[in-house]
RNA sequence: GCGGGCGUGGUGGAAUGGUAGACACGCUGGCCUUAGGAGCCAGUGGGCGAGAGCCCGUGCGCGUUCGAAUCGCGCCGCCCGCACCA
């Protein structure tokens, strides 16, 4: 018994105005009191449904972007409750991260205080938005009770050899004396001070995600995600098939492999090039007598950023004075150092084929190197000096010794097999994906649980010593190394193995590590014995529907998939993909631009709810466009939706009153027979609407679902005005309220109790059903076409046969007029909707 | 350059290969009201017509089909991602 003051049927109805500011807080309090949306851990025969939305970053309060995203999540969760599922719909916060630190530096308050204050604000706004979260399971990733287990996950990867340190170039701002994440480098400059960023080599921690490249690609077939996101991930991993071919340096005898996707162009190699960071370069330059010039080039590159390097150096290069021997024909070609060769991809060295690669072509032109045609476009005979650009496409091999005449694409396999047989190379696969750099020289993150001992070396913090607590009293302004490095109490530690004085790792983890496993923790959020209970995780996971912004299409989703696969391999989980279905919502724009604080066009959610009510906002963002499309808040009509809710309010109260008097049954009119057919029609419409709207909920077509509910509202009111009374009116009103409940839960509860007199929560009420017979249309408008043009419309019974339709169409006076005596040469009948009379021969 | 997506009224958007523009916003006219960010009614793709109605119309072109916004091919334009990835 929840309703405090529901009005019994048959009493005098008091027609109140729709007043969301009075209704909404009341129902929010009731849901919370009743723990209406608490996921049930025990087995109770219901299907479990895990609805997750990407947890928010606690910077400031919620804005309209959150309004759109979380409305989708909440509607799905509430719909599943009404479908009789046991729903897990949790919320937490991605608490660590740079913005907290920067905001804190700017405002002079501690990141912790700033973060937890924002979490509190956001939580309050979520409640006033009517979110059906299970509030008993909430946490933030910056809680020590949480990051303890993030550190534990790190240790599991470390034990498996998947977390390791290596020297790697980082983005370094010389002014701020700090390492920057890629996202903080805007066009080669520091996002904060505008100083050009330089490369600096630092020893940093990585996760070996590259080991999982194939599985991350191949398991995509298990996912119901949009092609868009899957393609983004596929491109990001960037798997290429080809061959590794070993060249030999003529002067030193050193062997150096290169990766190529086009082994069929091997006879077109006219030069060889190394990346400027290639480790062999020093020795080769020495052998070639070019050490000074090479050193000068390397130093210059070191000083400038990656972006500038791309533009300024384009096809620059320097001959090393040594030669590489092409294994297929024994030719010696000149070796270069060239900045367009990347150390990070393949082997850091390339074979140069100017005839068939545009970059090699431009390089050859620049340096006066030979251009050779070894793949002839089909049916053509192109001489090298006729080439205006490289020919990277398919063709027939020429000037290629034993392979002359071999057509691509078979030529690639043929040459690869030959290389393997001759011991000159082998089939190989290369990836664009790099290992995941997780070190951050920052304060506000989870400390990496590693200790460096002078005797024992790198030692993992024992599990029972977790968490490695982040100290509060730290000077977190940037100084070029982690702020933790200056905190003696943190750094100094006894070696867990030998007890000697040792030092802690002072870098913290990338926040993407925190968010790569948080969805597991919701299943047992307060467990202080283990990160998650295997039993509980197996019950709830994988997530049934995961929703969130497209901006996380690559990093967060890829990292989570990777971590889950590792944990599966280690036996901690029983599934390989965390998120079965993914829904990406569009952005909320303002005047065609993304909302942002700096632009000053950020519409906050809290005040907007104050003004219109949560239900109106939820419906407005859902009605404005399909969920995956953007919404421009500058052009939406909040008042249109608000007015509709007013009509729903009045119609449902009126219907309840009209339905309370006579209980005579469906279609019975209170005042006269005239309304009986209208009541019958209303009833059919109600059933038809339930069927259609249910399908819309299933496919997440919320904008269309709303339009159908609007139509039902309009017809209900019209029917009431036309004198419809009794069950027909009441049933239509009930079904409307039930259909509306996931989207506008507050007004739905109020009407369910106050107008319709129920005592249970509509939020947990069974989803409305429909009668197929009633939902079926009785009479339809049949379109009669002559030669594909609509010439008449005839009302026919929905079950009219093909023969009946044909007869009606041919009997039509209008159609006779259009036929003008001609006999149709063909009659297409699609009973009962369409007849097409064809008179034209083609 | 490569990959993906998208082009429908003044606007947001509907439309299992079968009535294009549902449902709204906006606008126009009218009614009601002391008043209203209220309510109600009618109209609203373009052209022609007094009207019944006719013609045109989903970026452009070609095609498949009795029939195309929808399927295929070729353009044009816009958006997003990656970008010297060998």
């Amino acid at each position: 018994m929840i309703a405090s003051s529901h009005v019994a049927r048959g009493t005098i109805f008091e027609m109140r105005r729709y007043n969301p500011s009075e209704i909404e807080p009341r129902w929010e309090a009731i849901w919370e009191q009743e723990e209406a949306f608490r996921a049930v851990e025990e087995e109770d025969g219901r299907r479990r449904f895990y609805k997750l939305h990407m947890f928010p970053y606690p910077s400031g309060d919620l804005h309209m972007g959150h309004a759109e995203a979380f409305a989708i999540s909440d509607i799905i969760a509430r719909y599943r409750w009404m479908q009789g599922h046991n729903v897990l719909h949790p919320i937490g916060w991605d608490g660590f991260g740079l913005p907290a630190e920067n905001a804190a530096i700017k405002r002079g308050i501690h990141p912790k205080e700033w973060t937890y204050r924002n979490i509190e604000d956001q939580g309050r706004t979520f409640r006033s938005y009517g979110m059906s979260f299970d509030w008993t399971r909430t946490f933030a990733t910056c809680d020590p009770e949480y990051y303890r287990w993030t550190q534990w996950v790190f240790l599991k990867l470390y034990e498996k050899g998947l977390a390791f340190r290596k020297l790697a170039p980082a983005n370094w701002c010389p002014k701020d004396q700090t390492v920057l994440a890629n996202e903080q480098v805007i066009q080669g400059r520091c996002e904060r001070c505008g100083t050009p960023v330089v490369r600096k080599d630092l020893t940093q921690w990585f996760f070996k995600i590259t080991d999982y490249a194939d599985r991350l690609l191949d398991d995509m077939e298990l996912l119901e995600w949009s092609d868009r996101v899957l393609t983004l991930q596929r491109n990001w991993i960037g798997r290429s098939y080809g061959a590794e071919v070993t060249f030999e340096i003529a002067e030193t005898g050193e062997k150096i492999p290169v990766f190529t996707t086009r082994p069929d162009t091997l006879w077109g190699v006219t030069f060889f090039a190394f990346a400027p960071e290639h480790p062999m370069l020093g020795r080769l330059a020495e052998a070639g007598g070019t050490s000074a010039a090479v050193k000068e080039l390397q130093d210059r590159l070191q000083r400038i950023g990656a972006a500038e390097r791309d533009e300024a150096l384009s096809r620059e290069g320097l001959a090393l004075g040594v030669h590489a021997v092409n294994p297929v024909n024994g030719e010696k070609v000149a070796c270069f150092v060239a900045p367009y060769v990347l150390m990070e991809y393949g082997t850091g060295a390339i074979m140069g084929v100017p005839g068939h690669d545009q970059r090699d072509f431009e390089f050859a032109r620049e340096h006066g190197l030979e251009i050779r045609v070894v793949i002839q476009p089909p049916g053509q005979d192109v001489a090298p000096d006729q080439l205006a650009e490289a020919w990277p496409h398919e063709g027939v091999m020429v000037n290629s010794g034993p392979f002359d005449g071999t057509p691509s694409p078979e030529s690639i396999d043929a040459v690869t097999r030959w290389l393997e047989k001759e011991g000159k190379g082998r089939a190989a696969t290369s990836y664009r994906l790099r290992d995941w750099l997780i070190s951050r020289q920052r304060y506000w993150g989870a400390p990496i649980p590693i200790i460096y001992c002078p005797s024992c070396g790198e030692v993992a913090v024992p599990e029972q010593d977790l968490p490695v607590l982040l100290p509060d009293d730290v000077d977190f302004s940037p100084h070029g190394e982690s702020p933790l490095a200056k905190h003696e109490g943190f750094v100094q530690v006894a070696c867990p193995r030998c007890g000697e004085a040792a030092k802690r790792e002072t870098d913290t983890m990338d926040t993407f590590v925190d968010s790569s496993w948080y969805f597991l923790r919701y299943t047992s959020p307060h467990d202080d014995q283990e990160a998650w209970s295997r039993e509980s995780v197996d019950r709830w996971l994988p997530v049934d529907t995961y929703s969130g912004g497209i901006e996380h299409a690559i990093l967060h989703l890829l990292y989570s998939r990777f971590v889950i696969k590792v944990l599966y391999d280690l036996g901690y989980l029983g599934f390989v993909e965390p998120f079965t279905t993914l829904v990406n919502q569009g952005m909320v724009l303002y005047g065609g631009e993304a909302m942002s604080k700096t632009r000053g066009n950020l519409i906050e959610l809290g005040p907007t709810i104050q003004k219109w009510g949560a239900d109106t906002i939820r419906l407005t963002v859902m009605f404005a466009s399909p969920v995956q499309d953007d919404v421009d808040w500058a052009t939406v009509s909040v008042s249109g939706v608000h007015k509709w809710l007013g009509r729903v309010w009045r119609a449902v109260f009126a219907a309840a009153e009209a339905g309370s008097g006579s209980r005579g049954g469906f279609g019975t009119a209170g005042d006269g027979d005239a309304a009986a057919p209208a009541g019958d029609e209303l009833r059919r419409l109600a059933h038809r609407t339930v069927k259609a709207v249910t399908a819309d909920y299933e496919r997440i077509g919320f904008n269309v679902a709303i339009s159908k509910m609007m139509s039902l509202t309009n017809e209900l009111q019209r029917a009431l005005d036309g004198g419809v009374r009794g069950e027909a009116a009441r049933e239509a009103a009930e079904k409307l309220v039930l259909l509306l409940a996931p989207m506008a839960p507050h007004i739905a509860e109020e009407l369910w109790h106050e107008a319709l007199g129920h005592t249970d929560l509509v939020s947990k009420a069974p989803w409305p059903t429909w009668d197929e017979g009633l939902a079926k249309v009785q009479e339809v408008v049949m379109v009669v076409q002559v030669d594909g043009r609509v010439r008449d419309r005839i009302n026919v019974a929905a079950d009219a046969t093909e023969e009946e339709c044909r007869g009606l169409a041919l009997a039509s006076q209008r159609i006779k007029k259009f036929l003008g005596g001609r006999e149709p040469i063909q009659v297409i009948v699609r009973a009962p909707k369409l007849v097409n009379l064809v008179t034209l021969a083609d």
Side-chain angles (χ1 to χ4, degrees):
Chain A
M1 296 298 126
I2 290 143
S4 48
S5 64
H6 81 263
V7 181
R9 276 204 208 169
T11 62
I12 296 157
F13 282 80
E14 195 184 331
M15 183 62 115
R16 293 189 285 132
R17 261 180 81 90
Y18 171 45
N19 180 8
S21 61
E22 184 270 321
I23 294 170
E24 294 186 349
R26 185 150 43 77
W27 285 107
E28 285 154 12
I30 290 170
W31 294 328
E32 189 138 6
Q33 247 165 49
E34 301 283 320
E35 294 192 333
F37 307 111
R38 183 167 186 166
V40 176
E41 205 51 45
E42 299 73 40
E43 218 49 72
D44 62 2
R46 288 184 294 177
R47 182 200 189 287
R48 288 175 193 273
F49 196 95
Y50 190 173
K51 173 66 204 70
L52 183 66
H53 189 85
M54 292 176 189
F55 62 173
Y57 191 84
S59 62
D61 204 346
L62 304 177
H63 50 75
M64 292 314 296
H66 295 104
E68 151 107 11
F70 282 94
I72 295 167
S73 193
D74 201 49
I75 292 165
I76 296 171
R78 286 173 173 273
Y79 172 66
R80 292 294 161 190
W81 277 118
M82 292 178 74
Q83 287 279 352
H85 296 162
N86 176 16
V87 180
L88 174 56
H89 187 215
I91 185 69
W93 279 271
D94 194 10
F96 277 134
L98 253 172
E101 221 168 307
N102 289 343
I105 290 165
K106 204 163 123 192
R107 291 154 207 243
I109 82 171
H110 197 277
K112 190 190 231 175
E113 195 188 334
W114 185 84
T115 301
Y116 282 100
R117 194 186 290 171
N118 286 331
I119 288 174
E120 208 169 295
D121 288 347
Q122 293 193 352
R124 201 177 304 117
T125 307
F126 273 136
R127 285 166 214 259
S128 72
Y129 197 45
M131 293 300 298
S132 64
F133 290 133
D134 182 344
W135 288 102
T136 65
R137 294 173 185 257
T138 185
F139 59 79
T141 55
C142 53
D143 299 340
E145 299 78 25
Y146 180 86
Y147 69 72
R148 167 185 182 183
W149 300 112
T150 303
Q151 292 169 339
W152 178 85
V153 169
F154 173 95
L155 291 179
K156 293 299 126 186
L157 270 80
Y158 181 72
E159 287 164 16
K160 193 86 200 293
L162 292 169
F164 65 99
R165 286 205 304 164
K166 74 171 180 194
L167 192 70
N171 301 305
W172 176 259
C173 173
K175 179 159 178 289
D176 287 348
Q177 290 283 295
T178 183
V179 162
L180 301 172
N182 283 332
E183 305 80 50
Q184 296 175 280
V185 182
I186 312 295
Q187 291 179 340
R189 291 170 180 274
C190 170
E191 78 169 348
R192 219 177 25 233
C193 66
T195 309
V197 169
V198 298
R199 286 159 69 100
K200 183 173 177 178
D201 289 333
L202 292 172
T203 300
Q204 307 186 80
W205 284 95
F206 290 83
F207 283 167
K208 204 151 181 44
I209 191 171
T210 50
D211 276 6
Y212 283 72
D214 281 321
R215 285 166 66 188
L216 287 167
L217 279 171
D218 298 341
D219 286 351
M220 279 187 201
E221 64 185 51
L222 305 173
L223 303 175
E224 283 178 51
W225 296 11
S226 68
D227 285 345
R228 189 177 171 195
V229 173
L230 291 175
T231 306
L232 286 172
Q233 294 221 344
R234 206 172 284 124
N235 292 347
W236 186 262
I237 296 168
R239 178 163 61 189
S240 308
Y241 296 106
E244 199 171 275
V245 186
T246 306
F247 283 61
E248 188 180 311
I249 304 301
E251 287 77 1
T252 68
E254 284 173 283
K255 300 224 188 282
I256 166 77
V258 295
F259 175 76
T260 176
T261 53
R262 294 296 302 273
D264 56 333
T265 65
L266 264 164
W267 282 264
V269 172
T270 58
F271 69 94
F272 197 91
F274 290 87
E277 300 82 8
H278 200 284
M280 282 169 65
L281 225 47
R283 291 199 300 280
L284 296 179
E286 203 173 317
T290 54
S291 293
V294 170
K295 183 86 176 47
E296 192 271 328
L297 177 66
Q298 286 177 319
D299 287 348
R300 190 152 52 90
L301 291 172
Q302 187 74 36
R303 284 196 305 273
I304 64 176
E308 282 175 81
R309 167 173 164 171
D310 289 349
E311 287 174 40
L313 302 172
S314 180
R315 294 294 168 257
E316 185 173 336
L318 205 60
L320 289 171
V322 295
H323 298 82
V325 181
N326 186 341
V328 303
N329 55 14
E331 282 186 12
K332 286 187 193 172
V333 297
C335 290
F336 290 80
V337 53
Y340 84 89
V341 181
L342 305 175
M343 192 60 221
E344 299 88 35
Y345 187 77
T347 63
I350 60 154
M351 59 185 217
V353 186
H356 306 286
D357 181 287
Q358 187 58 25
R359 297 151 301 175
D360 295 350
F361 181 87
E362 288 164 17
F363 189 84
R365 276 280 166 90
E366 182 83 24
H367 297 272
L369 300 167
E370 186 193 351
I371 296 169
R372 204 178 281 181
V373 172
V374 294
I375 304 290
Q376 200 67 262
Q380 292 178 50
D381 188 11
V382 181
D385 52 12
Q386 293 175 322
L387 284 178
E389 53 184 19
W391 172 263
H393 314 289
E394 297 195 347
V396 180
M397 291 179 71
V398 294
N399 301 322
S400 298
F403 286 94
D404 282 354
T406 314
S408 43
E410 303 95 83
S411 54
I412 293 179
D413 274 348
V415 174
T416 305
R417 280 197 304 273
W418 179 80
L419 288 168
E420 282 179 346
K421 201 179 75 200
E422 299 281 313
K424 292 171 176 176
R426 57 181 182 84
T429 310
S430 191
Y431 302 87
R432 205 193 78 96
L433 184 69
R434 313 261 201 277
D435 280 325
W436 173 13
L437 197 170
I438 62 145
S439 299
R440 294 290 181 272
Q441 291 73 33
R442 284 293 187 153
Y443 165 66
W444 193 234
I448 294 172
I450 293 288
I451 290 166
Y452 302 105
C453 169
S455 313
C456 312
E458 203 174 278
V459 180
V461 172
E463 278 177 36
Q464 65 272 17
D465 293 351
L466 297 180
V468 176
L469 278 174
L470 191 62
D472 285 341
D473 52 337
V474 171
D475 170 15
F476 45 81
S477 53
H479 292 288
E481 56 180 349
S482 173
L484 291 175
K486 287 184 302 178
H487 191 286
E488 281 302 307
F490 177 82
V491 175
Q492 302 301 339
V493 65
C495 171
R497 202 171 292 165
C498 68
E500 252 183 73
K503 292 188 172 186
R504 284 191 192 279
E505 167 67 59
T506 57
D507 284 355
T508 53
M509 280 186 253
D510 180 7
T511 55
F512 280 116
V513 181
D514 306 332
S515 58
S516 69
W517 73 279
Y518 76 105
F519 40 89
L520 304 176
R521 185 68 181 170
Y522 285 130
T523 61
S524 51
H526 311 299
D527 193 330
D528 59 1
Q529 298 303 306
E530 51 186 354
W532 58 83
S533 122
R534 172 74 193 261
E535 199 190 347
S536 198
V537 159
D538 283 352
R539 275 203 291 260
W540 289 108
L541 275 280
V543 173
D544 291 278
T545 303
Y546 195 31
S547 49
I550 191 83
E551 67 273 17
H552 292 114
I554 300 173
L555 299 184
H556 163 58
L557 291 171
L558 197 65
Y559 293 152
S560 299
R561 295 182 60 218
F562 159 65
V563 168
I564 283 336
K565 286 175 196 305
V566 173
L567 294 170
Y568 170 84
D569 289 349
L570 293 171
Y572 290 107
L573 299 171
F575 54 93
V576 294
E577 286 291 342
F579 315 119
T580 309
T581 303
L582 179 70
V583 177
N584 293 111
Q585 85 275 358
M587 288 194 303
V588 178
L589 310 174
Y590 195 87
E593 292 185 319
M595 283 192 185
S596 75
K597 222 172 239 173
T598 44
R599 273 210 186 81
N601 64 357
L602 196 84
I603 313 278
E604 296 222 309
L605 179 55
T608 314
I609 293 173
Q610 287 291 306
K611 188 170 172 190
W612 294 100
D615 288 340
T616 296
I617 304 307
R618 294 163 63 112
L619 285 165
T620 299
V621 289
M622 290 301 96
F623 185 53
S625 73
V627 294
Q628 64 276 11
D629 291 1
D630 293 347
V631 172
D632 193 332
W633 191 252
T635 65
V636 299
S637 168
V638 192
S639 62
V641 167
H642 195 69
K643 281 189 220 166
W644 171 51
L645 285 181
R647 288 203 297 279
V648 171
W649 179 270
R650 287 189 298 276
V652 171
F653 267 104
E657 189 173 15
S660 66
S662 116
R663 302 289 307 279
F666 294 109
T668 305
D671 49 3
D673 293 333
D680 199 44
E681 248 337 286
L682 176 63
R683 195 160 178 238
R684 291 180 175 283
L685 176 70
H687 280 256
R688 217 160 49 231
T689 303
V690 171
K691 181 179 181 180
V693 169
T694 301
D696 290 334
Y697 268 98
E698 286 292 334
R699 65 176 184 91
I700 316 187
F702 299 146
N703 58 329
V704 184
I706 292 168
S707 76
K708 287 168 189 159
M709 288 188 256
M710 286 175 166
S711 295
L712 179 58
T713 312
N714 295 343
E715 292 307 316
L716 171 58
Q717 188 60 57
R718 199 187 307 275
L720 291 167
D721 292 344
V724 170
R725 295 289 177 273
E727 275 300 309
R730 183 182 170 84
E731 188 192 23
E734 288 220 0
K735 292 206 183 294
L736 176 60
V737 168
L738 287 162
L739 292 176
L740 186 59
M743 298 198 194
H746 309 84
I747 189 175
E749 290 287 7
E750 188 73 5
L751 292 170
W752 190 244
H753 288 254
E754 300 300 314
L756 299 167
H758 291 281
T759 52
D760 59 331
L761 283 174
V762 74
S763 300
K764 303 291 277 292
W767 190 248
T769 53
W770 67 91
D771 179 303
E772 275 300 339
L774 285 170
K776 218 169 183 177
V777 187
Q778 272 188 309
E779 197 182 63
V780 299
V781 178
M782 179 177 78
V783 172
V784 186
Q785 300 176 328
V786 177
D787 295 324
R789 286 166 189 264
V790 179
R791 296 306 187 185
D792 199 8
R793 297 179 164 105
I794 304 171
N795 288 333
V796 300
D799 56 359
T801 64
E802 209 171 288
E803 282 315 306
E804 287 166 343
C805 289
R806 182 196 308 263
L808 282 167
L810 291 169
S812 156
Q813 287 306 314
R814 290 180 47 83
I815 293 305
K816 282 181 177 160
K817 193 185 108 200
F818 274 99
L819 285 174
R822 290 170 299 174
E823 273 301 310
I825 56 172
Q826 195 184 353
V827 179
I828 312 267
V829 183
R830 292 286 176 273
K833 288 180 74 178
L834 176 132
V835 174
N836 188 12
L837 307 168
V838 185
T839 68
L840 302 168
D842 37 35

